[in-house]
Amino acid sequence: MSVDSAPTRELPALAALGRDELNKAVSGIAAVHSSVADTVFAGLRVAWGTRVRPAQVIHDAISTSVYSAITSTVDVAGDLAESLTVHNTGVPSETKRGATAIGILDGLIGDQLTAERSPLAPDAAVRVDGAVVSITPGDLATAFPRATGHLTVFLHGLMETEFAWERGGKPTYGARLADDLGSTEVMIRYNSGLHISDNGRRLARLLDDLVLSWPVPVTDLTLIGHSMGGLVIRSACHQAVDPYWPKLVRQTVCLGTPHLGAPLARGVHWATAALRLRPTSRPFGTLLGRRSAGVRDLFHGAIAEDHWRDIDPDAFRQPAVDYPPLMEDARHLYVTATVTRRPDHPFGRIVGDGLVMTNSGGGRDRRRHLGFEIDDGLHIGGAHHFTLLNDDAVYEWMLPLLRPRRALPPGTD
């Protein structure tokens, strides 16, 4: 790996990003301060007239000098941090802690980082122990020495990475399926700040290359996604150009996926619009307005480009979307959860699993039905959104449903 490769630039990029974000935070605080001060001095002018003007001029001069000094200090500290890290060859994205931090950043501003060609914005890629595996027959054979024809492909959720599947310190679903079914676990990391449709297109291309370069012939594909990962899977299936790998998909599994949108995303959207109405709160609205394209897509669970193209992302009212049908000839499984034991408990109906409502996780409400069958779903009570990443009850339910279909002997029905 060359010294100038993207992974070795991650530490300097993190230092630079930290400096930029601190400067934006200082600017936001300064804007709030200025707005509040203007309101106060406006009130004083009503009572004291022009006598207030000298005090306001002195105040403005001092506050401007203070915030400029803070910004300059942050710039100097950022330059120093970059110089100290430029010779460090560590790769944060290949460690669990570093990957987690970068995954959160990507979920928040990953689209911006991609536009800036930042090394902190990852391409969709297969990962083993945090490191990218090139999609070539030789590299795949080295990374997967026990490769089988049944692939279980895992897609994490918003602000997560493939390390999220290790929740609880237990063997992952993929590791357990390898023991029980003889399948091969394939973990994929992607930039969750991009549009879901962009990630779906990238996943479709990645699966094209993966099945063609896999060390042994691929006979079965099982696609498993947590939260946003389930939407990326649906998007990939919708956008697939090569007809080969979709014919190998036997099951998709969506764990806590907001197929009809997430209330938190809608709440942030509406709060942003409200905060931008007044000068005092406008900087906070601007901060929330920086949320990534991926987060914005969760308003409706938008998985296709025409769900967001030519639409004002900041408009208070967002138009409804026309969801594409589920992939044919595959079984589509789903799991939902509520923090209450009973899904029909009033609090459980309102809160769901803490992030996703039960009806959204099942792709069905009074007006919409995406095609998920009731018999293909599981509900877990007394659990939260992240429980679904590694739960014994979920695994025991999935296991018999993910067994590859076997060809019947000739002459049998």
Side-chain angles (χ1 to χ4, degrees):
M1 180 182 296
S2 67
V3 174
D4 293 329
S5 63
T8 61
R9 300 199 309 272
E10 288 177 1
L11 284 171
L14 280 169
L17 181 63
R19 176 187 61 193
D20 293 343
E21 292 304 309
L22 279 173
N23 274 331
K24 289 175 182 176
V26 172
S27 298
I29 294 170
V32 173
H33 183 161
S34 176
S35 178
V36 172
D38 287 346
T39 301
V40 171
F41 281 113
L44 291 175
R45 281 196 299 273
V46 173
W48 299 95
T50 58
R51 285 175 291 177
V52 175
R53 180 62 181 168
Q56 184 174 6
V57 170
I58 294 172
H59 166 272
D60 291 347
I62 292 174
S63 62
T64 299
S65 298
V66 169
Y67 287 118
S68 296
I70 293 173
T71 300
S72 298
T73 302
V74 170
D75 284 336
V76 171
D79 291 340
L80 178 60
E82 285 185 77
S83 67
L84 291 174
T85 58
V86 71
H87 299 298
N88 190 322
T89 57
V91 184
S93 64
E94 293 184 2
T95 68
K96 185 174 183 179
R97 184 171 296 180
T100 299
I102 293 173
I104 293 171
L105 279 174
D106 287 330
L108 292 170
I109 56 171
D111 52 347
Q112 171 191 320
L113 295 175
T114 295
E116 296 171 353
R117 299 183 180 275
S118 169
L120 302 176
D123 290 327
V126 174
R127 298 258 178 169
V128 173
D129 296 329
V132 173
V133 178
S134 297
I135 308 300
T136 65
D139 287 343
L140 288 171
T142 300
F144 299 94
R146 299 181 180 178
T148 65
H150 179 192
L151 277 59
T152 50
V153 180
F154 290 83
L155 276 291
H156 58 78
L158 176 69
M159 300 187 194
E160 296 175 348
T161 70
E162 74 282 1
F163 289 110
W165 297 102
E166 299 174 4
R167 184 180 182 276
K170 300 182 295 185
T172 62
Y173 292 142
R176 296 172 71 176
L177 289 169
D179 291 337
D180 293 336
L181 297 184
S183 59
T184 303
E185 175 188 61
V186 178
M187 294 287 190
I188 292 178
R189 186 188 304 179
Y190 65 97
N191 180 351
S192 63
L194 296 178
H195 278 294
I196 291 168
S197 57
D198 290 339
N199 278 317
R201 185 167 54 253
R202 294 178 181 208
L203 174 61
R205 289 199 300 260
L206 182 61
L207 292 175
D208 287 342
D209 297 336
L210 184 67
V211 297
L212 292 176
S213 300
W214 193 246
V216 300
V218 177
T219 58
D220 298 270
L221 269 178
T222 297
L223 308 178
I224 302 176
H226 176 247
S227 195
M228 178 187 280
L231 297 177
V232 174
I233 288 171
R234 282 180 49 219
S235 181
C237 293
H238 171 62
Q239 298 186 77
V241 176
D242 187 337
Y244 181 59
W245 72 259
K247 293 180 179 179
L248 300 174
V249 177
R250 304 296 179 237
Q251 308 92 1
T252 68
V253 186
C254 294
L255 307 173
T257 295
H259 296 290
L260 304 180
L264 182 60
R266 289 192 284 269
V268 170
H269 177 88
W270 292 325
T272 300
L275 288 168
R276 283 174 164 167
L277 294 176
R278 298 185 61 82
T280 304
S281 60
R282 192 168 296 139
F284 299 105
T286 299
L287 177 63
L288 288 179
R290 292 183 63 213
R291 66 196 184 280
S292 68
V295 173
R296 292 175 184 273
D297 284 346
L298 294 179
F299 187 101
H300 281 307
I303 68 168
E305 185 175 335
D306 59 8
H307 291 168
W308 54 265
R309 188 181 59 241
D310 301 328
I311 293 173
D312 179 4
D314 295 318
F316 187 80
R317 293 185 179 275
Q318 293 291 297
V321 301
D322 184 16
Y323 299 102
L326 300 178
M327 172 185 280
E328 296 181 355
D329 301 324
R331 189 173 186 182
H332 301 282
L333 308 173
Y334 64 95
V335 181
T336 60
T338 49
V339 295
T340 55
R341 291 289 179 185
R342 293 188 356 256
D344 58 349
H345 189 283
F347 187 68
R349 286 179 177 271
I350 296 173
V351 175
D353 66 11
L355 291 176
V356 177
M357 306 296 287
T358 303
N359 60 352
S360 184
R364 179 198 301 258
D365 62 15
R366 294 179 179 177
R367 295 180 292 109
R368 297 162 292 187
H369 181 198
L370 302 189
F372 292 97
E373 300 295 336
I374 294 178
D375 292 342
D376 289 335
L378 172 71
H379 180 81
I380 302 292
H384 57 75
H385 189 64
F386 301 102
T387 301
L388 305 181
L389 282 161
N390 200 348
D391 180 75
D392 289 341
V394 172
Y395 180 75
E396 291 168 4
W397 174 77
M398 281 197 303
L399 178 60
L401 300 175
L402 300 187
R403 296 187 185 279
R405 292 184 291 195
R406 303 299 181 189
L408 294 174
T412 62
D413 295 327

